[in-house]
Amino acid sequence: MSLIKISEFNAIAEDIHLVKDVSFDVDEGKITGIVGESGSGKSVTCMGITKLLPKTVKINGNVLFTKNDGKTIDLLHCNENELTKLRGKEISYVFQEPMTALNPVYTCGFQVCEAILAHQKINKNELKSKVLNLFGEVKLPDTERIFNSYPHQISGGQRQRVMIAMALANNPRLLIADEPTTALDASVQKSIIDLMVEMVKKRGMSMIFISHDLNCLKSVANHIIVMYKGQIVETGDKNKIFENPSHPYTKALMKTRPDYKNAGYILPTISDLIGQNENGEFFEKKFEVIKRNKNLIGNKILDVNNITKSYFKNSFFAKNKNSQAVIKGISFSAYSNSTIGIVGESGCGKSTLAKILTNLEKETSGDFKNLSTDKSKIQMVFQDPYSSLNPTITAGEAISEPMIVNKINSKKNTKQETLKLLELTGLTADFYYKYPHQMSGGQRQRVCIARALSTKPSILILDEAVSALDVSVQSQILNLLKDLQSKLSLTYLFISHDLNIVGYMADEIIILKNGKIEEQGKLPEILNNPQTEYTKFLINCIYN
Amino acid sequence: MAGYFFKKLLYGLLIYYSVATIVFFIFSFSFPSPDELATGQRSDEKTKEAIKKEFGLDKPIKTQYLYYINDVSFVSVYKDLKEINVSKIQLISLGGNKIVLKIPYLRRSFQTGKQVNTIIKEAFTGTLILAVSSILLATIAGVFLGCLAAVKKDTWVDRLILFISTTGISLPSFFVAIILAWLLGFVLSKYTGLNMTGNYNDLDPFRGEIFVLKNLILPTLALGIRPLSIFSQLTRASVLDVLPRDYIRTAKAKGLSKTKIVTKHVLRNSLIPVVTSISGWFASLLTGTFFVEFIFNWKGLGKITVDALDNSDLPLVMGAVIVVALIFVFVNIAVDILYSILDPRVTLE
């Protein structure tokens, strides 16, 4: 029997159809996965059914929900009062970013208590023991301490467990999880997904699990819905979707994933694989697999020698009293025209290493030598192109600024050079006068790459440079990076938490754990024959 | 925590002594000396000498400075404690010298010969009452209106509040004071029962000194209207910043009512930036209410400071400046504590 029946659901904001004629059912006790890129309307649909969207988004359609007492109601025709009674009690949510989804000024315990008190009358002692039980159920350690902790005092995975406890507090019938693991480390991701599936099965609940990653749904969902540009393009049983996808977009999604197996090839992008005719129907494009020329690895260009970094907490009386080592002795060499992948979970010291190599931070001991001759500087591309570009200056200014500051070119040449860089990164000359808000995420990251290249560096540090981008944009940027490398013989230090992407990009790989190198070597060897438990565990989390 | 207070206290003392030093040197050189003031036309040398001696001005400037710092310190050394007319605790005595713990001794007024401590204490009570009542009015009404405007964004309520607060910001307090005094204290005084001017305490022929609450109304309004407008706009902006945050969506998704979301989750987070402005205003209200005090004939710190400047009453001016510096130091520490209460991410370390 279906618990929730969505039919002809539309969401419109300022005459733009965010979601168009979406219909699907979720059966009782079943898990439905929704997959799509950003802007596909997957989150809008799931927020929209309980009217959690801002008022500027107009919604219509029918959402029939069967309540606990057996009555069926149309959620879109309920008033705010009725919905408030339903939210958190019969339908609850787990959101993507557990840091921002919890209120920073209240304790975790308080926030879960509040969710219970909103729907139940319960005395104080009972309430606390109930919350502590819930915390135990979601496998939080030291429940009493977490109860009294503020969100910033616990780890990301623990925060997400608190969110799950909050969502389960009133025994809801439907749990909507909106990318609940995207912001978490790979190893934590798996345990959170396992926990959610376990909880849902144990309580006989239904779940809608939203993700941008098709692979992520493999171990979760019974039923999968694929969304693209606000519409459902394919729905079906999990096995059918994975083994025999029928829609061109679903097929494209599977092919465009970077992976160590397709490392020697140019990645197909979504637009390479599908097109849309005048009637709006999608069709498959023919795509020929093109092999890349093998990179000839050049001379040694960077020598990192036993670098350590500790942070000191200065107290009023004594300096350097409490030190905390973030990097504990890292050594490696990099060669021109090659890529070193640096993999590790958050807190392993990979970003600190990048900051040391770019002289944004000073190492505590050890040193590194840049052995390149004519070009000297190491440049960096950051994770989030939305926040790493100044919103008040144009792309042209952003790219030319490093050249002016470092007195590389005359004023006239600077503009010429900037236009060249735009072309090199696949942008047209009119981007010179564009501001960040006028560009898409992929275009912004191209500007960031052009900016990093403007001082003609020999080494480029890519710190999670494609992590914030959608699958289709990701493959475009990865292709661009590979092209630039062979054109300019660049050395990349490719920092990422995603072993798949590193597998596609890197020649050599360094696995970091707690500021130490766990394992390092040639990529295929490490992936096929990992030596340490930790590497095996990481590979297992991803290749599953 | 203890370390934090110790550190803050040291910084505070550093500021305090720097201000005392600057004040001493600026005023010692730029003010006419008291012997000229006190004697007026009759200027025979002997009287002048006597007056100079009385105020210690016959000594070299270095010695004068050391005496001054000794007087304004919290721990000081004296031979004779009779002159130092402030509350004090004697710690130890060494030979003829006595070391005492005391509040700063600000000396005697050139003009009236009264203890400056006593004059400032009286005036400060008036200012404190006025500043507290205006800041309370401004905070409560400002935060409420700002919140209301943000929640009702783009409706007539929002536009009305924006209009009123923009007007409020652009009105100088002395202008508002005159208008209010004239309108409510004179033209409409039959209905309002308010006076144009008046102090917080008055002498009643039967009951002695009494507190006159109604005299507080007009100066509070005149003084509070600008901070009120500013707080309401700040709160509005801050609430609009907090409303689209993820944790507000979480609060909504767990089934909290709108009132609960606003009062519990939105307000506390929005107040964090507003507190900075409130504290800044409170400190300046405590010290810079001269115009309003003047117009309403309210006995306060602003009024006596300006009178003292007018009369070149050096000890009184110096005392007032030092008290103001102390107020700023204390308000700053208080605000840090308030921050750590509002936002657990802020720790006092």
Side-chain angles (χ1 to χ4, degrees):
Chain A
M1 206 187 108
S2 67
L3 176 67
I4 190 164
K5 199 177 170 62
I6 299 164
S7 48
E8 287 170 13
F9 181 84
N10 285 286
I12 302 154
E14 292 166 2
D15 294 333
I16 299 164
H17 257 92
L18 301 175
V19 174
K20 201 173 177 188
D21 290 335
V22 162
S23 309
F24 66 92
D25 300 356
V26 178
D27 288 341
E28 257 177 271
K30 288 277 164 27
I31 300 175
T32 301
I34 303 182
V35 69
E37 298 174 72
S38 57
S40 64
K42 54 192 195 312
S43 297
V44 175
T45 308
C46 291
M47 299 297 135
I49 56 179
T50 59
K51 294 194 191 164
L52 278 180
L53 294 169
K55 279 183 195 136
T56 44
V57 183
K58 300 271 172 288
I59 46 179
N60 62 61
N62 292 306
V63 179
L64 297 174
F65 178 74
T66 314
K67 288 205 296 184
N68 234 342
D69 54 15
K71 273 189 206 149
T72 301
I73 49 164
D74 189 340
L75 296 180
L76 297 189
H77 295 109
C78 284
N79 61 30
E80 193 57 33
N81 239 342
E82 291 167 311
L83 282 171
T84 302
K85 280 181 196 148
L86 274 175
R87 287 186 205 128
K89 191 182 177 214
E90 306 219 10
I91 303 175
S92 59
Y93 285 86
V94 174
F95 298 107
Q96 174 173 351
E97 181 63 75
M99 182 69 236
T100 57
L102 291 169
N103 193 334
V105 304
Y106 291 110
T107 59
C108 297
F110 174 87
Q111 296 189 53
V112 180
C113 288
E114 202 183 33
I116 296 175
L117 286 176
H119 301 287
Q120 299 175 29
K121 279 208 173 80
I122 187 168
N123 77 41
K124 231 179 160 186
N125 294 331
E126 244 179 284
L127 181 67
K128 187 168 179 188
S129 67
K130 193 171 176 173
V131 173
L132 290 178
N133 275 340
L134 270 170
F135 280 178
E137 233 183 308
V138 296
K139 298 182 180 107
L140 278 166
D142 208 350
T143 50
E144 187 79 31
R145 179 181 62 87
I146 303 261
F147 188 92
N148 293 315
S149 296
Y150 290 97
H152 70 277
Q153 294 166 329
I154 60 178
S155 75
Q158 290 173 339
R159 282 195 283 263
Q160 199 58 300
R161 284 171 201 269
V162 171
M163 272 303 283
I164 294 170
M166 191 193 291
L168 296 175
N170 295 302
N171 283 317
R173 315 226 304 145
L174 176 64
L175 180 64
I176 298 176
D178 188 0
E179 306 239 17
T181 59
T182 310
L184 303 173
D185 276 328
S187 59
V188 184
Q189 268 179 19
K190 195 167 175 302
S191 59
I192 294 281
I193 289 178
D194 290 347
L195 173 75
M196 293 185 77
V197 173
E198 185 196 322
M199 289 293 136
V200 166
K201 291 223 166 111
K202 202 165 97 185
R203 295 172 181 231
M205 299 158 55
S206 310
M207 173 155 83
I208 299 178
F209 193 99
I210 303 172
S211 178
H212 68 283
D213 183 358
L214 198 52
N215 270 353
C216 181
L217 295 177
K218 213 171 190 170
S219 58
V220 180
N222 306 106
H223 194 83
I224 289 176
I225 294 167
V226 183
M227 287 188 77
Y228 184 51
K229 293 185 174 169
Q231 281 172 290
I232 291 181
V233 293
E234 184 166 3
T235 103
D237 188 64
K238 174 180 78 177
N239 295 332
K240 192 219 140 213
I241 297 273
F242 275 101
E243 280 151 27
N244 189 18
S246 61
H247 195 273
Y249 178 72
T250 317
K251 291 182 196 169
L253 260 189
M254 291 178 175
K255 275 187 201 154
T256 190
R257 283 193 59 84
D259 187 317
Y260 82 102
K261 286 172 214 138
N262 54 15
Y265 300 90
I266 290 176
L267 270 184
T269 62
I270 298 278
S271 53
D272 288 334
L273 295 168
I274 61 169
Q276 204 169 8
N277 64 18
E278 307 92 65
N279 304 330
E281 286 160 1
F282 295 103
F283 61 88
E284 239 171 295
K285 274 196 205 164
K286 259 222 160 107
F287 179 77
E288 267 177 58
V289 184
I290 306 166
K291 210 168 156 73
R292 282 180 190 281
N293 295 330
K294 207 155 172 47
N295 274 353
L296 286 173
I297 293 173
N299 304 326
K300 194 195 260 191
I301 203 161
L302 179 72
D303 207 6
V304 177
N305 195 1
N306 205 14
I307 283 188
T308 64
K309 172 79 189 172
S310 302
Y311 286 104
F312 297 106
K313 212 171 164 186
N314 290 341
S315 80
F316 189 66
F317 298 105
K319 254 195 169 175
N320 302 353
K321 202 170 146 202
N322 311 310
S323 70
Q324 197 195 355
V326 187
I327 293 181
K328 305 162 186 161
I330 290 183
S331 311
F332 65 90
S333 313
Y335 299 86
S336 76
N337 209 5
S338 79
T339 304
I340 296 185
I342 299 174
V343 185
E345 296 178 33
S346 55
C348 73
K350 51 192 197 302
S351 292
T352 313
L353 180 66
K355 280 184 196 156
I356 290 172
L357 294 179
T358 45
N359 285 327
L360 291 172
E361 297 248 6
K362 184 92 185 83
E363 65 274 13
T364 312
S365 71
D367 58 6
F368 63 94
K369 266 189 220 109
N370 189 344
L371 306 167
S372 61
T373 46
D374 51 333
K375 315 165 195 170
S376 61
K377 290 199 177 59
I378 302 181
Q379 283 292 327
M380 195 155 163
V381 178
F382 300 93
Q383 173 172 359
D384 190 354
Y386 293 84
S387 52
S388 62
L389 284 174
N390 185 338
T392 58
I393 68 174
T394 62
E397 286 173 81
I399 298 169
S400 34
E401 203 177 18
M403 295 190 260
I404 295 164
V405 172
N406 290 299
K407 302 196 177 76
I408 289 178
N409 283 314
S410 68
K411 213 173 178 186
K412 204 176 148 198
N413 283 345
T414 299
K415 186 165 182 187
Q416 285 295 324
E417 200 59 37
T418 305
L419 291 173
K420 257 191 224 163
L421 281 165
L422 282 172
E423 200 192 318
L424 193 67
T425 48
L427 296 169
T428 49
D430 59 324
F431 274 87
Y432 192 91
Y433 296 107
K434 277 195 184 173
Y435 288 95
H437 70 269
Q438 297 167 311
M439 303 177 225
S440 71
Q443 288 163 344
R444 272 178 246 199
Q445 199 59 306
R446 283 169 196 269
V447 172
C448 290
I449 293 170
R451 177 178 62 181
L453 291 176
S454 64
T455 58
K456 298 196 193 310
S458 50
I459 301 169
L460 209 56
I461 298 178
L462 304 157
D463 189 1
E464 302 270 5
V466 293
S467 304
L469 304 173
D470 270 324
V471 199
S472 58
V473 184
Q474 217 173 51
S475 46
Q476 289 169 19
I477 299 289
L478 291 176
N479 281 337
L480 171 72
L481 287 170
K482 282 247 171 185
D483 291 343
L484 288 172
Q485 182 167 48
S486 51
K487 255 185 227 167
L488 307 169
S489 339
L490 291 167
T491 305
Y492 289 152
L493 299 184
F494 193 91
I495 298 172
S496 180
H497 67 283
D498 189 338
L499 212 48
N500 276 319
I501 300 174
V502 174
Y504 177 77
M505 286 297 290
D507 302 300
E508 266 185 65
I509 188 167
I510 292 173
I511 309 242
L512 279 185
K513 191 193 179 190
N514 296 333
K516 268 196 196 141
I517 292 184
E518 184 80 8
E519 202 167 342
Q520 80 187 99
K522 290 262 179 285
L523 181 93
E525 282 154 34
I526 298 241
L527 289 184
N528 293 324
N529 188 18
Q531 295 301 315
T532 64
E533 283 306 309
Y534 182 67
T535 316
K536 281 179 198 161
F537 169 68
L538 272 188
I539 293 171
N540 191 34
C541 284
I542 292 158
Y543 292 107
N544 210 343
Chain B
M1 191 81 169
Y4 167 83
F5 279 113
F6 183 65
K7 204 163 151 185
K8 275 278 162 180
L9 218 61
L10 278 190
Y11 280 135
L13 281 178
L14 187 70
I15 294 170
Y16 178 70
Y17 282 110
S18 315
V19 169
T21 306
I22 294 170
V23 163
F24 176 83
F25 283 108
I26 290 181
F27 288 144
S28 306
F29 292 120
S30 61
F31 266 62
S33 67
D35 48 311
E36 286 157 28
L37 291 170
T39 50
Q41 304 300 318
R42 302 173 288 110
S43 51
D44 73 289
E45 284 303 313
K46 266 200 180 154
T47 323
K48 275 189 177 179
E49 283 303 314
I51 289 169
K52 270 195 170 175
K53 197 158 190 182
E54 194 193 335
F55 291 104
L57 296 172
D58 53 340
K59 299 193 175 70
I61 193 89
K62 256 196 238 162
T63 323
Q64 282 187 42
Y65 172 66
L66 287 179
Y67 276 127
Y68 183 70
I69 289 295
N70 192 39
D71 276 350
V72 297
S73 286
F74 295 90
V75 178
S76 322
V77 185
Y78 288 106
K79 274 210 171 80
D80 180 14
L81 289 177
K82 251 186 248 158
E83 170 70 6
I84 315 306
N85 200 4
V86 294
S87 35
K88 56 191 175 261
I89 306 163
Q90 189 172 332
L91 296 175
I92 38 173
S93 59
L94 288 169
N97 294 327
K98 298 177 183 78
I99 297 178
V100 290
L101 182 70
K102 62 164 186 33
I103 61 168
Y105 171 61
L106 302 172
R107 303 184 169 179
R108 286 185 300 124
S109 158
F110 285 167
Q111 199 66 34
T112 58
K114 268 170 86 179
Q115 295 284 342
V116 170
N117 285 62
T118 322
I119 301 175
I120 287 185
K121 206 165 143 194
E122 271 171 26
F124 188 65
T125 318
T127 301
L128 189 69
I129 290 172
L130 191 53
V132 167
S133 70
S134 340
I135 208 78
L136 278 180
L137 169 80
T139 306
I140 294 168
V143 168
F144 174 75
L145 289 178
C147 233
L148 191 67
V151 173
K152 305 261 176 204
K153 191 179 176 259
D154 293 333
T155 63
W156 65 269
V157 180
D158 179 29
R159 272 179 225 120
L160 183 70
I161 293 173
L162 262 182
F163 173 75
I164 294 172
S165 56
T166 313
T167 318
I169 288 172
S170 36
L171 290 175
S173 56
F174 62 86
F175 178 71
V176 179
I178 293 169
I179 296 291
L180 281 176
W182 172 73
L183 195 68
L184 298 178
F186 179 70
V187 181
L188 299 173
S189 81
K190 250 190 259 166
Y191 309 102
T192 58
L194 300 173
N195 304 324
M196 266 184 91
T197 62
N199 204 7
Y200 64 96
N201 55 7
D202 213 348
L203 277 175
D204 188 272
F206 303 109
R207 288 175 294 168
E209 204 166 89
I210 52 157
F211 182 74
V212 192
L213 185 68
K214 71 173 185 183
N215 282 349
L216 191 61
I217 296 172
L218 289 181
T220 301
L221 270 177
L223 213 52
I225 215 148
R226 269 190 94 194
L228 189 157
S229 311
I230 287 168
F231 297 165
S232 84
Q233 295 212 350
L234 273 177
T235 310
R236 180 180 179 273
S238 182
V239 168
L240 286 179
D241 184 46
V242 171
L243 276 177
R245 298 270 174 99
D246 284 355
Y247 52 80
I248 303 302
R249 186 180 61 181
T250 307
K252 211 173 163 191
K254 67 183 168 188
L256 296 186
S257 65
K258 203 168 180 181
T259 355
K260 234 186 179 152
I261 293 175
V262 172
T263 52
K264 274 223 144 129
H265 288 267
V266 178
L267 204 56
R268 186 156 156 198
N269 282 287
S270 329
L271 277 183
I272 296 166
V274 181
V275 163
T276 319
S277 175
I278 293 177
S279 62
W281 270 95
F282 183 57
S284 51
L285 282 186
L286 277 174
T287 57
T289 59
F290 167 69
F291 284 121
V292 173
E293 284 172 11
F294 183 80
I295 289 163
F296 291 103
N297 201 18
W298 184 276
K299 236 168 106 190
L301 199 59
K303 195 159 180 298
I304 61 147
T305 312
V306 178
D307 286 346
L309 278 170
D310 212 24
N311 299 328
S312 301
D313 194 346
L314 191 55
L316 193 47
V317 175
M318 282 160 80
V321 175
I322 279 175
V323 167
V324 168
L326 267 182
I327 290 168
F328 270 90
V329 169
F330 278 118
V331 168
N332 260 320
I333 295 177
V335 168
D336 281 347
I337 295 168
L338 197 57
Y339 266 138
S340 74
I341 293 170
L342 273 178
D343 188 346
R345 288 166 297 182
V346 177
T347 49
L348 298 181
E349 266 171 19

